[in-house]
Amino acid sequence: MEKSAKIYIAGHRGMVGSAIHRKLLSEGYTNLVTRTSSELDLRNQQAVTDFFVAEKPDYVFLAAAKVGGIIANNTYRADFLYENLAIQNNVIHQAYETGVKKLMFLGSSCIYPKLAPQPLKEEYLLTGLLEETNEPYAIAKIAGIKLCDAYRAQYNCNFISVMPTNLYGYNDNYHPQNSHVLPALIRKFHEAKVNGTPEVVIWGSGSPMREFLFADDLANACYFLMQNYNEPHLINIGTGEDLTIKDLALLVKKVTGFEGALTFDSTKPDGTPRKLMDVSKLHSLGWKHQVELEEGIHLAYQDFMAKHI
Ligand SMILES: NC(=O)c1ccc[n+]([C@@H]2O[C@H](COP(=O)([O-])OP(=O)(O)OC[C@H]3O[C@@H](n4cnc5c(N)ncnc54)[C@H](OP(=O)(O)O)[C@@H]3O)[C@@H](O)[C@H]2O)c1
């Protein structure tokens, strides 16, 4: 990407989009195009058409989506399927119509079958049934991957799909019901500390294993892949390292400074026992994460305190 190229970051106020925006600014890109969802509702086909015709971006990072944790995904099933399909259909099609040089579509690790072998390799896509709770979201993301591939096959568009693992970082969502596990733990431990609560109870046994990537590392990977990767199908982005929810909770407890007890409510469901990305394809291209988990949680906690307290 030339430094003067016009680059549209869809979803630039979100955790991922804002990290990509910061990364591009730090690399010296000056011609960045952004719109909030109230300025441009990407579900609106005509509005997206008018925007692309007027702006004609050279490159697109598609980081706008309806995103949430397990409860949100399961509760708003229609919204997650409809809104994500609408956003990606409109943006990907207009990128084709207006001759965008390259587009990156962001998916998620939930596209893989629930019982796929671990670690998750890119070729496991569509080899089994999805996790029921986030099936609508995953179906939308799989459609996005296939749409990019179809425009590449039929119209020779350079549209690529990347699948990040669980993310956390600046501008994360700390909503009490709709957030992902790591920001939810940060909020829970912080509130217990300030309220003097003697105990924090975590749902499940604490034994499931999960992988986490700092969003600024993801943005570095996206930037790297935008320069170095031009293939159909998909590529995983993660650390290739995981830990138990119990160890994660202990880390968040340490970072937030909560001094009470930590207990696990094993009567609540655990979810998938393990979800780890195979990142050998990404590593073979020469990219590796830089921010380790404890350091990243410190940075995320500072951001939480600055914005939510
Ligand atoms: N968070 C994770 O752990 C994670 C993991 C893997 C993959 N991802 C992927 O990364 C991408 C971004 O996720 P995120 O965590 O950054 O989400 P986020 O913080 O919730 O941000 C989503 C962004 O999408 C924009 N948006 C939503 N609906 C829109 C609409 N109708 N029109 C225009 N813009 C709209 C929002 O814009 P406004 O702020 O202007 O309203 C917001 O900035 C998603 O594709 C997601 O699947 C995230």
Side-chain angles (χ1 to χ4, degrees), residues 256-303:
T256 55
F258 171 68
E259 289 181 345
L262 167 62
T263 52
F264 291 87
D265 179 358
S266 300
T267 63
K268 296 289 193 300
D270 261 347
T272 311
R274 193 171 192 205
K275 223 173 141 190
L276 176 66
M277 293 289 219
D278 184 314
V279 286
S280 40
K281 190 170 168 183
L282 182 62
H283 283 180
S284 72
L285 291 171
W287 188 89
K288 199 178 176 304
H289 74 282
Q290 289 178 338
V291 181
E292 296 302 339
L293 190 55
E294 185 165 344
E295 180 194 352
I297 294 174
H298 267 290
L299 296 170
Y301 184 45
Q302 282 166 11
D303 186 57

Side-chain angles (χ1 to χ4, degrees), residues 26 30 104 116 131 140 143 209 218 237 246 249 255 275 277-278 289 298 302 305-306 309:
S26 76
T30 49
M104 173 178 285
E131 159 65 36
M209 299 194 72
L218 171 74
I237 305 180
K246 181 178 178 185
V255 170
K275 223 173 141 190
M277 293 289 219
D278 184 314
H289 74 282
H298 267 290
Q302 282 166 11
M305 300 266 273
I309 304 306

Side-chain angles (χ1 to χ4, degrees), residues 8 10-19 35-44 48 62-68 83-84 87-88 105-110 137 141 162-168 170-173 180 183 212-213 215 218 237 277:
Y8 170 44
H12 73 289
R13 289 200 302 186
M15 180 169 61
V16 171
S18 63
R35 294 288 187 281
T36 65
S37 58
S38 42
E39 290 165 343
L40 173 61
D41 184 346
L42 294 172
R43 295 168 301 182
N44 181 328
V48 176
L62 177 41
K66 185 171 180 66
V67 178
E83 294 190 26
N84 285 311
I87 290 170
Q88 66 205 36
F105 171 67
L106 280 118
S108 137
S109 59
C110 70
Y137 180 71
K141 292 293 183 187
V162 303
M163 299 303 122
T165 187
N166 301 303
L167 303 170
Y168 68 102
Y170 302 122
N171 301 324
D172 206 347
N173 167 14
H180 290 118
F212 299 93
L213 178 71
L218 171 74
I237 305 180
M277 293 289 219

